[in-house]
Amino acid sequence: MFVPSDYREPDVSWMIDLMRGNPLALMVSNGTPTDGPYATHLPVITDPRWEGPATANLSGMRLLGHMNRANPHWAALETGSVVLLTFTGPHAYVSPAVYDITPAAPTWNFTSVHAHGVVEKIDSTEETLGVVQATVQAFEKEFGHSWDMSESVDYFRKIVPGVGAFHVRVTGAEGMFKLSQEQRPEIRERVVRSFAGRGCTRHTQTADLMSRLA
């Protein structure tokens, strides 16, 4: 991913926060000349066994994910191959009307992380079950506390044969935080106020990130 210097993350924690806050990643891997690349949207979490610390480009970070084994992407995926995981964060269209200057051009403020890594497919039923359980625990911890999975583990075991789980060892990542950094402070403030007043979650989140950069 091409990241102009103005739009690089101020700290590696911004990339980690974006990945954890927006865990539905797009996983892309090479296919054949006939089929072209494969791409699958799937939940990706940090491996609970990974202790860090995070490097500047996240190399060495371990991630976990899973997909339906009936997906042709699973059959095409090979252990040891390189994959790309893209995570998309808050984003919003910027109207030139907000700038209150002429001439001006519209743009799009957005945030994303591209993580490259080496994939390892998991064959063990028990380890696959572990990935499913770790994923549930990660999201229940973040977004709710009401559901106890203990009574559903037997059901998990019934569906796990259809689940393709994997590890990804990150070899490098780039973060893009395009948040009007090139604009004058007063213009950036107008954009922040415009987003904050929209009453839309992604606009509000974009405004919050812009304010953190100030």
Side-chain angles (χ1 to χ4, degrees), residues 27 29-30 76-83 116-122 166-169 171:
M27 180 179 185
S29 61
N30 290 332
L77 201 61
E78 296 182 358
T79 290
S81 60
V82 174
V83 297
H116 294 83
V118 178
V119 69
E120 177 187 349
K121 296 173 75 171
I122 296 172
F166 57 86
H167 300 277
V168 172
R169 177 178 53 81
T171 55

Short mmCIF file of all heavy atoms in Angstrom, two decimals, residues 27 29-30 76-83 116-122 166-169 171:
data_model
loop_
_atom_site.label_atom_id
_atom_site.label_comp_id
_atom_site.label_asym_id
_atom_site.label_seq_id
_atom_site.Cartn_x
_atom_site.Cartn_y
_atom_site.Cartn_z
N MET A 27 -9.11 -11.08 3.43
CA MET A 27 -7.91 -11.89 3.22
C MET A 27 -7.76 -12.15 1.73
O MET A 27 -8.68 -12.65 1.08
CB MET A 27 -8.03 -13.21 3.97
CG MET A 27 -6.83 -14.13 3.84
SD MET A 27 -7.11 -15.65 4.80
CE MET A 27 -5.52 -16.45 4.59
N SER A 29 -5.20 -13.79 -1.36
CA SER A 29 -4.05 -14.62 -1.70
C SER A 29 -4.06 -14.91 -3.18
O SER A 29 -5.08 -14.77 -3.86
CB SER A 29 -4.06 -15.93 -0.89
OG SER A 29 -5.21 -16.70 -1.17
N ASN A 30 -2.90 -15.29 -3.71
CA ASN A 30 -2.77 -15.55 -5.13
C ASN A 30 -3.55 -16.79 -5.54
O ASN A 30 -3.65 -17.76 -4.78
CB ASN A 30 -1.30 -15.75 -5.51
CG ASN A 30 -0.50 -14.47 -5.42
OD1 ASN A 30 -1.05 -13.39 -5.59
ND2 ASN A 30 0.79 -14.59 -5.15
N ALA A 76 -7.48 -23.58 -2.08
CA ALA A 76 -6.36 -22.97 -2.80
C ALA A 76 -5.27 -22.47 -1.86
O ALA A 76 -4.12 -22.27 -2.29
CB ALA A 76 -6.87 -21.80 -3.65
N LEU A 77 -5.61 -22.30 -0.59
CA LEU A 77 -4.66 -21.76 0.37
C LEU A 77 -3.61 -22.82 0.73
O LEU A 77 -3.96 -23.97 1.01
CB LEU A 77 -5.41 -21.33 1.63
CG LEU A 77 -4.77 -20.32 2.57
CD1 LEU A 77 -4.51 -19.00 1.86
CD2 LEU A 77 -5.67 -20.10 3.79
N GLU A 78 -2.35 -22.43 0.71
CA GLU A 78 -1.28 -23.37 1.02
C GLU A 78 -0.45 -22.85 2.19
O GLU A 78 -0.08 -21.68 2.24
CB GLU A 78 -0.36 -23.56 -0.20
CG GLU A 78 -1.05 -24.19 -1.40
CD GLU A 78 -0.09 -24.40 -2.56
OE1 GLU A 78 1.10 -24.01 -2.42
OE2 GLU A 78 -0.52 -24.93 -3.59
N THR A 79 -0.16 -23.76 3.13
CA THR A 79 0.72 -23.41 4.24
C THR A 79 2.06 -22.92 3.70
O THR A 79 2.63 -23.53 2.80
CB THR A 79 0.93 -24.63 5.16
OG1 THR A 79 -0.30 -24.89 5.85
CG2 THR A 79 2.03 -24.35 6.18
N GLY A 80 2.55 -21.83 4.25
CA GLY A 80 3.81 -21.26 3.80
C GLY A 80 3.65 -20.17 2.76
O GLY A 80 4.63 -19.48 2.44
N SER A 81 2.44 -20.01 2.24
CA SER A 81 2.22 -18.96 1.25
C SER A 81 1.98 -17.62 1.93
O SER A 81 1.65 -17.55 3.11
CB SER A 81 1.04 -19.32 0.34
OG SER A 81 -0.15 -19.46 1.10
N VAL A 82 2.14 -16.56 1.17
CA VAL A 82 1.97 -15.20 1.70
C VAL A 82 0.55 -14.73 1.42
O VAL A 82 0.02 -14.91 0.33
CB VAL A 82 2.99 -14.23 1.06
CG1 VAL A 82 2.72 -12.80 1.49
CG2 VAL A 82 4.41 -14.65 1.43
N VAL A 83 -0.06 -14.13 2.44
CA VAL A 83 -1.40 -13.58 2.28
C VAL A 83 -1.38 -12.10 2.68
O VAL A 83 -0.46 -11.63 3.34
CB VAL A 83 -2.44 -14.33 3.14
CG1 VAL A 83 -2.54 -15.79 2.71
CG2 VAL A 83 -2.10 -14.23 4.63
N HIS A 116 0.81 -8.07 5.76
CA HIS A 116 1.28 -9.22 4.99
C HIS A 116 1.79 -10.27 5.97
O HIS A 116 2.37 -9.94 7.01
CB HIS A 116 2.42 -8.82 4.05
CG HIS A 116 2.01 -7.88 2.96
ND1 HIS A 116 1.91 -6.51 3.16
CD2 HIS A 116 1.65 -8.10 1.67
CE1 HIS A 116 1.52 -5.94 2.03
NE2 HIS A 116 1.35 -6.87 1.11
N GLY A 117 1.60 -11.53 5.62
CA GLY A 117 2.09 -12.57 6.51
C GLY A 117 2.11 -13.93 5.87
O GLY A 117 1.59 -14.13 4.77
N VAL A 118 2.73 -14.86 6.57
CA VAL A 118 2.83 -16.25 6.11
C VAL A 118 1.74 -17.05 6.82
O VAL A 118 1.61 -16.99 8.05
CB VAL A 118 4.22 -16.83 6.43
CG1 VAL A 118 4.29 -18.29 6.01
CG2 VAL A 118 5.30 -16.01 5.73
N VAL A 119 0.97 -17.80 6.05
CA VAL A 119 -0.16 -18.53 6.59
C VAL A 119 0.22 -19.96 6.93
O VAL A 119 1.06 -20.58 6.27
CB VAL A 119 -1.35 -18.52 5.60
CG1 VAL A 119 -1.05 -19.34 4.34
CG2 VAL A 119 -2.62 -19.01 6.26
N GLU A 120 -0.38 -20.47 7.98
CA GLU A 120 -0.23 -21.87 8.37
C GLU A 120 -1.63 -22.45 8.60
O GLU A 120 -2.34 -22.04 9.53
CB GLU A 120 0.61 -22.01 9.64
CG GLU A 120 0.73 -23.46 10.13
CD GLU A 120 1.41 -23.58 11.47
OE1 GLU A 120 1.98 -22.56 11.94
OE2 GLU A 120 1.38 -24.67 12.06
N LYS A 121 -2.04 -23.37 7.74
CA LYS A 121 -3.35 -24.00 7.89
C LYS A 121 -3.32 -24.97 9.07
O LYS A 121 -2.32 -25.62 9.34
CB LYS A 121 -3.74 -24.72 6.61
CG LYS A 121 -3.91 -23.79 5.43
CD LYS A 121 -4.14 -24.54 4.12
CE LYS A 121 -5.53 -25.12 4.02
NZ LYS A 121 -5.81 -25.66 2.65
N ILE A 122 -4.44 -25.05 9.77
CA ILE A 122 -4.56 -25.91 10.94
C ILE A 122 -5.35 -27.16 10.57
O ILE A 122 -6.47 -27.07 10.05
CB ILE A 122 -5.25 -25.16 12.09
CG1 ILE A 122 -4.38 -23.98 12.54
CG2 ILE A 122 -5.56 -26.09 13.25
CD1 ILE A 122 -5.06 -23.07 13.54
N PHE A 166 -6.68 -21.06 10.66
CA PHE A 166 -5.29 -20.82 10.26
C PHE A 166 -4.62 -19.82 11.18
O PHE A 166 -5.28 -19.03 11.87
CB PHE A 166 -5.22 -20.31 8.81
CG PHE A 166 -6.03 -19.06 8.57
CD1 PHE A 166 -5.50 -17.79 8.81
CD2 PHE A 166 -7.34 -19.14 8.11
CE1 PHE A 166 -6.24 -16.64 8.60
CE2 PHE A 166 -8.10 -17.99 7.89
CZ PHE A 166 -7.55 -16.75 8.14
N HIS A 167 -3.29 -19.86 11.19
CA HIS A 167 -2.45 -18.85 11.82
C HIS A 167 -1.86 -17.98 10.71
O HIS A 167 -1.62 -18.46 9.60
CB HIS A 167 -1.26 -19.47 12.56
CG HIS A 167 -1.62 -20.40 13.66
ND1 HIS A 167 -1.94 -19.98 14.92
CD2 HIS A 167 -1.66 -21.76 13.69
CE1 HIS A 167 -2.19 -21.03 15.69
NE2 HIS A 167 -2.03 -22.13 14.97
N VAL A 168 -1.59 -16.73 11.02
CA VAL A 168 -0.80 -15.87 10.13
C VAL A 168 0.31 -15.24 10.96
O VAL A 168 0.03 -14.62 11.99
CB VAL A 168 -1.65 -14.77 9.46
CG1 VAL A 168 -0.75 -13.79 8.72
CG2 VAL A 168 -2.66 -15.38 8.49
N ARG A 169 1.55 -15.43 10.53
CA ARG A 169 2.68 -14.74 11.15
C ARG A 169 2.97 -13.51 10.32
O ARG A 169 3.39 -13.60 9.17
CB ARG A 169 3.92 -15.65 11.22
CG ARG A 169 5.15 -14.96 11.80
CD ARG A 169 6.33 -15.92 11.89
NE ARG A 169 6.62 -16.57 10.62
CZ ARG A 169 7.32 -16.00 9.64
NH1 ARG A 169 7.79 -14.78 9.77
NH2 ARG A 169 7.55 -16.66 8.52
N THR A 171 4.61 -10.52 8.58
CA THR A 171 5.98 -10.17 8.16
C THR A 171 6.15 -8.68 7.98
O THR A 171 7.28 -8.19 7.86
CB THR A 171 6.32 -10.90 6.84
OG1 THR A 171 5.33 -10.58 5.85
CG2 THR A 171 6.36 -12.41 7.04
#
